[in-house]
Amino acid sequence: MTPALASTLKKIALISAGSFVFAFSLVPMYNIACKKVFGIKLQSGPAGSEQLAGVKVDPKRTVHVLFDGTVNSRLRWNFKPMQLSLDVHPGQLYEARYIARNNAEYAIVGNAAPSIAPEEASGYFSKTECFCFTQQMLKAGEQREMPVRFIVNPALPADVGTITLSYTFYINDTATAQLTAPSPVVTNAHSAP
C-alpha cells in the first residue's frame, strides 16, 4: 500500500467516524435548542396513573390548546392536525387527531417528537395515548388518522392560558431500510453421512 493510499484511507475513515458522531449528536442538540432557545420541553412516554391520580375536573377554568404538526424535510409525508385548537377544562380527558399521508412510492417508518410550549406548561400536560410513543409505518400513498389523548392538570399555573402541542415527524432510516431488506433465505442443510 502506498503512503498516499494509506493517507486517503485514513482521511475517509476519519470523515466517516466524524459523520457518524455528528448524526448522533443531532438529537441532543435538537433537545437543547428546543429547551434553551425556544423554551419548549420535549416529552416522551404516556402519563402514568400516579400522574393522574386524584385529578379532578375544573369546570370553571378553560385552557386554549393549539395543535401544530410538521415533518422533517427528509420525510416524504404530509402531517397536520385535524383541528387547530381546542378549549379544554383542566382535569378532563380530551382527544385530538392528526392526519398523516405517505407521498412516497414505498413504505416509510417515521417517529414523532412531541413538544409543549410554554416550557412551564410541559409538566402539567399529560398524554395518556399518543402515536408518538411508537414507530409509525405508512405504506406508499397510505393516509392515517393519528389520535392523541391528553389531560391538562388543574395545577397548571394560573398565568398560563394557552398551551401549544407540537409534533415533528422524522424518518426512521433504520426501520425503513428493514422494510425493503431482503429476507434471509433459509435452506435445509443436510450433513454428510
Side-chain angles (χ1 to χ4, degrees):
M1 181 181 309
T2 67
L5 179 59
S7 175
T8 302
L9 290 175
K10 185 177 179 180
K11 287 178 185 176
I12 291 172
L14 287 173
I15 290 171
S16 297
S19 298
F20 182 79
V21 169
F22 177 73
F24 276 94
S25 70
L26 288 176
V27 173
M29 288 190 312
Y30 176 77
N31 292 339
I32 291 167
C34 284
K35 185 173 183 180
K36 299 295 182 188
V37 177
F38 301 110
I40 299 170
K41 182 177 179 184
L42 301 175
Q43 293 186 327
S44 62
S49 56
E50 65 281 350
Q51 284 180 284
L52 304 175
V55 173
K56 294 185 179 165
V57 176
D58 182 354
K60 295 178 183 176
R61 183 173 180 197
T62 301
V63 176
H64 193 63
V65 180
L66 302 172
F67 303 100
D68 181 47
T70 60
V71 293
N72 177 274
S73 61
R74 292 186 55 236
L75 181 60
R76 294 183 55 196
W77 286 9
N78 288 338
F79 175 70
K80 64 183 181 179
M82 295 180 72
Q83 67 281 331
L84 297 178
S85 65
L86 188 63
D87 289 327
V88 305
H89 296 293
Q92 186 171 329
L93 180 66
Y94 289 90
E95 180 177 284
R97 292 185 172 273
Y98 284 75
I99 191 159
R101 178 178 173 77
N102 180 358
N103 297 318
E105 297 79 35
Y106 50 89
I108 299 177
V109 178
N111 288 90
S115 61
I116 305 290
E119 181 183 3
E120 65 184 300
S122 62
Y124 302 94
F125 192 96
S126 301
K127 295 184 298 303
T128 62
E129 180 181 324
C130 183
F131 53 88
C132 62
F133 301 145
T134 58
Q135 296 176 355
Q136 300 296 320
M137 191 277 291
L138 293 179
K139 297 176 185 172
E142 182 181 2
Q143 179 171 300
R144 182 183 314 146
E145 288 185 17
M146 297 182 176
V148 56
R149 291 185 170 193
F150 65 92
I151 295 174
V152 175
N153 192 310
L156 177 73
D159 64 330
V160 178
T162 300
I163 298 173
T164 302
L165 173 61
S166 181
Y167 290 97
T168 301
F169 252 106
Y170 296 89
I171 187 169
N172 184 322
D173 289 316
T174 304
T176 298
Q178 290 174 349
L179 292 174
T180 58
S183 299
V185 178
V186 178
T187 59
N188 290 334
H190 297 285
S191 56

